[in-house]
Amino acid sequence: MSDERAPRADARRNRARVLEVAAEVFATEGLSVPVHEIARRAGVGTGTVSRHFPTKEDLLIAIMSTRLVKLTAEADELARHEDPATAFFALFTSLVRAGAADCGLAELAGTDRRLDAIGERAGADLCGRLHELLAAAQKSGDVRADVGYADIRALMSACMARKEDPLEPILAVVTDGLRKRS
Amino acid sequence: MSDERAPRADARRNRARVLEVAAEVFATEGLSVPVHEIARRAGVGTGTVSRHFPTKEDLLIAIMSTRLVKLTAEADELARHEDPATAFFALFTSLVRAGAADCGLAELAGTDRRLDAIGERAGADLCGRLHELLAAAQKSGDVRADVGYADIRALMSACMARKEDPLEPILAVVTDGLRKRS
DNA sequence: CTAGAATCGGGACGGGCGTCCCGGTTGCTC
DNA sequence: GAGCAACCGGGACGCCCGTCCCGATTCTAG
C-alpha cells in the first residue's frame, strides 16, 4: 500500500506550524488574509505553504475538517440523548458559539455552499444534522413550522457575526422567536 | 456662481444610462460586479463611467442616496404618527423588504460602517433614526431591553439575505423574538 | 458649415492575490 | 561523513480589478 516513506522531520514541523498559524489567523482576521501573509507569520516561504496545501481551499479544509467532525459528533450525541427541540436548540447555540469564537468559521457559515462542501469532504455532514434536527423539532411542534432551513442558516450567521458584544441577547431573541407560540 | 455651462446632451444621456444600468446590476448581482462590466452593459467605455463617477464608491452613492433619503423620510413619518414600538417594527420591516429586493443594499447593510458613511454623505441619517426608534421602543417596554443596536443590524442583515424564499417567516421569528415577553 | 471644446472609448498602469517553479539548502541513509 | 533526494525560499507569472490618460470622435455655438 503505502510505498511512500515518512516525510522529513522539518517538513512535518513546517506543515504543523503553517496549520497552527493559519488556524489562528483565520480565526482572528477571517478568511481573506492572503496566503503570503500566513507564510510570513509562520516564518516560511510561500512555496512551502503551497506545497503542503496546493490551494488555499486545501489549507482551509485541513483546518476546519477536524472541527466539523467534532461538531457533527456532538450533534449525533444530542440527537440520541435529548428530545428534538432541546437537541436542536443546543446544536444551534453550540454552532453559534463556535462561529462567534472563530471569524473564519463564521464566514464559512455565512456563504451557504462553502460549509457544506467542506463538510462533505471531511465526511462530516454537519449541515445535514442541523437540517434533520430542525425537521424533528418542527414535527414535535416545538419550533415554528413555517421557517425553512435557509432561514435557520441566516439567523445562525447573524448571531455568529456578533464578535465583541455578548451573545446572550441575540441568541435569546432568535431562539424565543423560533419557538412555537403556545 | 455657476459659470459652468450645461453638460452636453450625449453626456447627460450616458450618465443617466450608466446610473440606470448600475442600479439594476447592483440590485440583482451585488456590489462586486466590476466597473468594466457595468460599462460594457451600458454600451459605453470605462472612461465614461469613471469620468462621471471618479470612483466606484461615487457611483454607489449616486445610486443609493435618493433611496436612503426616501427611507429616512419614511422613518420620520413613522416616528411622528405611530407609537414607538409600531414605528420601530414598521421601519425594521420596511428596511428588510428594501434590502431583500436589492442585493446591493443588503450588502451595504451587512457591513456596518458603509451604510452609515453613505447615509451621512446623502444627509440622510437612516441608521440614527433606527437607533432612536429602537431606544424609544425599549423605553416604552415593548422591545427587549438587553438587545443592542448592533444586534438589530445583524438580524436585519440576516432577514435581507433571504432573497428567494418568502420573508414572512423569518421576519415573524425576529420581530416576535424582539418583543418583550409579557 | 466649421472650428473648437467637451466627451468618448478602451488600452495602460499599478496593486493585490493565488499558484508555480527553480536554484540553493538541509536532513536522512548507508 | 558523503551523496542524494526531499524540501525550502521567494521571485515570477497570470489574473482580476479600479483608476487614469490620450488620441479620436461628436456635439454645438456662432
Side-chain angles (χ1 to χ4, degrees), chain A residues 41-58:
Chain A
R41 296 203 201 180
V44 303
T46 61
T48 301
V49 175
S50 79
R51 194 167 339 96
H52 289 300
F53 310 98
T55 275
K56 192 176 185 179
E57 191 78 6
D58 293 326

Side-chain angles (χ1 to χ4, degrees), chain B residues 24-104:
Chain B
E24 163 150 2
V25 171
F26 282 156
T28 57
E29 305 183 27
L31 304 181
S32 66
V33 177
V35 173
H36 287 86
E37 178 64 16
I38 293 172
R40 200 186 60 78
R41 296 204 201 180
V44 302
T46 61
T48 301
V49 175
S50 78
R51 194 169 337 98
H52 288 300
F53 310 98
T55 276
K56 193 177 185 179
E57 190 77 8
D58 292 328
L59 178 55
L60 190 61
I61 291 173
I63 291 171
M64 293 297 175
S65 57
T66 69
R67 193 168 321 188
L68 290 186
V69 168
K70 205 178 294 182
L71 285 169
T72 305
E74 182 185 331
D76 287 336
E77 193 72 9
L78 287 169
R80 254 198 305 277
H81 294 85
E82 306 286 349
D83 63 292
T86 306
F88 170 74
F89 285 115
L91 179 61
F92 186 90
T93 302
S94 183
L95 292 180
V96 166
R97 289 195 196 284
D102 187 325
C103 204

Side-chain angles (χ1 to χ4, degrees), chain B residues 17 136 147:
Chain B
R17 173 130 188 80
V147 302

